[in-house]
Amino acid sequence: MNGFWNKLSKPIFSLAPMADVTDVSFRFLLANCMGKPNVIFNEFVSADGLARNREALISKLGYSTQERPIVAQFFGSKPEYFYESAKVANELGYDGIDINMGCPSRKVLSPKQASGAALITNPPLAKQIVQITKEALNFEKPVSVKTRIGFDKIEIEEWIPLILSSEPACLTLHLRTKKELSLVPAHWKHEILDRIVELRNQISPNTLLVGNGDVETYEQGIDYINQFKIDGIMIGRAVYGNPWLFNKNLVIQYQPGTINPTEKQKQLLDQQFKISNGLIIENENQLLIEITLKEVLTTMVKHIIILEILTPFKPIRVLFSHFNCYLKCCSNLGDTSNLKRALLECQSSEQVLIQLNNYLLFKNKSDQLLNYSEIKLSVENLINNSTLIR
């Protein structure tokens, strides 16, 4: 049962499940920012915790219908808890379930949990979890797996055939071992991926293959898909503070300075030059669209307001990793360290906006000032016109 996966147009781009990053606020923002990927994964949730204390974790499974198709990812090591958690996600209307077999965190790997990448060392249990999760869904919705290419070493011949034999709808491979964490470059190599594709074709030809690791741009993802003949790409860290990443036509405005423009910003600058000079532009149906400095900072404030409305129990400091990335658009305006320190002290979206406006005034960007009332009203209208499953 591949469910919605078989209906996706290729190439497939998916949002990686990341704790406290791909929460309901960011996913809602992403789904409404003209940059929605083909598939959205929820931040991973403990199957054990959800089964034993549903009320404590159920809020992590909230979503909006704009996010579809949306997949709930669980980690754990007890098949019976995966069964119960899959039932909960199914009741909430999730389009599929993904099983985390790749998280390298010490807490997740601990003997008490023996979850995440630890399942690589216990293939019989890994297969049992896939099977019982399929049973919980009555084989009517797809079950996928996200894993790594080995535990202490690369184990293509040992691990990949075993997990493929469970016939997941999609197999997402983080191209590092557990031991490597993110300390070495991901193994985007033909000797690895060519063999994985070959094994997929032999063992479970209906399983989609998605690569993950060190993909920074949409264009890089397309290059890897074409080069390694895989079905798609999952992007994680590069999406911090960049909900436009999955839209190939959107480009963040370049601010002149010591940092050179990216290739895409160069293309945009060239396009703008040609338009202003009445020159012919090739592929007019694929014109790049500029995301201005004001739009980036407005989106940052929107992100915080969404968090405050949908998850009022969360402090805004959980978004600080996003803040640093949103502020990259200001890099050529000068040092942002004082601004970042000021943002750390903020307790609300309105306080953040005040600090941003103070910074813009200091940088003589008064034409970019943000209006809090307008931003908040637009967010409230967006949420009021959305269907939220909670």
Side-chain angles (χ1 to χ4, degrees):
M1 161 53 69
N2 279 29
F4 74 87
W5 288 102
N6 278 346
K7 300 174 184 176
L8 297 175
S9 58
K10 296 180 184 178
I12 297 167
F13 278 83
S14 60
L15 173 69
M18 295 176 283
D20 289 325
V21 177
T22 54
D23 64 352
V24 64
S25 63
F26 183 68
R27 287 184 281 105
F28 182 87
L29 179 73
L30 185 72
N32 289 282
C33 258
M34 302 187 339
K36 182 177 177 289
N38 302 94
V39 186
I40 289 179
F41 283 67
N42 184 28
E43 59 180 327
F44 77 167
V45 174
S46 167
D48 301 12
L50 183 65
R52 290 182 297 178
N53 190 356
R54 176 171 174 161
E55 292 307 312
L57 291 177
I58 195 69
S59 63
K60 287 182 176 288
L61 291 172
Y63 68 96
S64 62
T65 54
Q66 293 101 310
E67 296 165 42
R68 294 192 184 280
I70 183 166
V71 176
Q73 192 193 67
F74 295 112
F75 72 94
S77 59
K78 303 285 194 303
E80 63 271 25
Y81 290 154
F82 272 94
Y83 186 89
E84 293 181 41
S85 296
K87 288 284 190 185
V88 172
N90 196 33
E91 289 170 11
L92 291 171
Y94 270 83
D95 298 298
I97 304 294
D98 189 78
I99 300 168
N100 184 300
M101 299 187 188
C103 179
S105 115
R106 289 182 180 178
K107 184 177 180 181
V108 171
L109 292 173
S110 68
K112 182 180 179 181
Q113 297 211 48
S115 307
L119 291 174
I120 297 173
T121 67
N122 193 344
L125 177 59
K127 291 181 67 174
Q128 185 183 359
I129 287 172
V130 173
Q131 180 62 26
I132 202 167
T133 304
K134 289 181 179 181
E135 291 173 8
L137 301 175
N138 297 316
F139 298 93
E140 293 174 354
K141 288 185 178 179
V143 175
S144 53
V145 171
K146 183 174 188 287
T147 188
R148 289 177 176 250
I149 55 175
F151 194 77
D152 285 329
K153 64 182 190 305
I154 295 175
E155 302 171 86
I156 302 302
E157 300 299 332
E158 298 84 0
W159 169 236
I160 302 302
L162 288 166
I163 197 59
L164 280 171
S165 67
S166 68
E167 298 184 324
C170 176
L171 179 61
T172 301
L173 288 170
H174 183 108
L175 294 169
R176 296 183 180 93
T177 67
K178 184 283 301 180
K179 185 177 182 179
E180 290 171 333
L181 301 173
S182 293
L183 302 176
V184 302
H187 298 283
W188 290 99
K189 299 176 180 178
H190 278 287
E191 61 263 33
I192 290 175
L193 280 158
D194 289 357
R195 179 56 178 155
I196 291 172
V197 170
E198 184 180 19
L199 288 168
R200 186 277 307 270
N201 293 344
Q202 291 173 355
I203 299 167
S204 184
N206 292 324
T207 295
L208 297 174
L209 277 180
V210 171
N212 171 239
D214 293 344
V215 179
E216 299 294 329
T217 66
Y218 180 92
E219 290 74 22
Q220 184 185 9
I222 291 293
D223 178 55
Y224 283 161
I225 288 168
N226 292 334
Q227 187 180 159
F228 297 104
K229 311 304 180 189
I230 55 178
D231 300 295
I233 291 290
M234 174 180 278
I235 298 181
R237 288 176 296 175
V239 83
Y240 283 34
N242 187 4
W244 309 279
L245 183 146
F246 293 102
N247 188 326
K248 63 181 180 181
N249 294 323
L250 299 180
V251 189
I252 294 175
Q253 182 183 37
Y254 177 67
Q255 301 291 327
T258 57
I259 299 174
N260 293 326
T262 64
E263 285 303 311
K264 209 165 181 179
Q265 286 173 328
K266 289 178 183 177
Q267 292 173 24
L268 176 63
L269 291 170
D270 180 63
Q271 174 186 293
Q272 292 171 334
F273 174 81
K274 288 179 177 178
I275 290 175
S276 64
N277 287 278
L279 301 176
I280 296 175
I281 298 176
E282 298 177 5
N283 300 321
E284 287 193 12
N285 59 335
Q286 296 183 7
L287 288 177
L288 298 175
I289 302 170
E290 184 176 65
I291 305 296
T292 66
L293 171 64
K294 184 174 183 177
E295 288 172 321
V296 172
L297 299 182
T298 294
T299 301
M300 177 176 166
V301 176
K302 283 183 177 181
H303 191 168
I304 305 167
I305 294 173
I306 294 168
L307 177 90
E308 291 171 331
I309 294 174
L310 298 185
T311 51
F313 51 87
K314 277 190 174 184
I316 68 170
R317 67 174 178 272
V318 301
L319 300 182
F320 197 71
S321 57
H322 284 287
F323 290 0
N324 283 333
C325 295
Y326 281 121
L327 294 177
K328 285 181 180 178
C329 66
C330 301
S331 297
N332 272 341
L333 298 182
D335 185 28
T336 58
S337 56
N338 288 336
L339 172 59
K340 290 175 182 177
R341 280 193 289 271
L343 293 177
L344 274 175
E345 302 299 319
C346 293
Q347 302 295 318
S348 69
S349 54
E350 189 165 14
Q351 290 175 8
V352 168
L353 180 136
I354 290 169
Q355 294 299 334
L356 292 174
N357 277 347
N358 288 342
Y359 176 80
L360 291 169
L361 286 170
F362 180 69
K363 296 297 179 181
N364 297 315
K365 293 285 184 180
S366 57
D367 59 322
Q368 302 290 312
L369 292 178
L370 313 179
N371 184 305
Y372 186 75
S373 297
E374 289 180 1
I375 296 172
K376 187 173 184 182
L377 181 61
S378 70
V379 171
E380 290 173 339
N381 287 338
L382 191 59
I383 290 175
N384 290 336
N385 291 318
S386 299
T387 301
L388 298 171
I389 311 297
R390 306 167 76 177

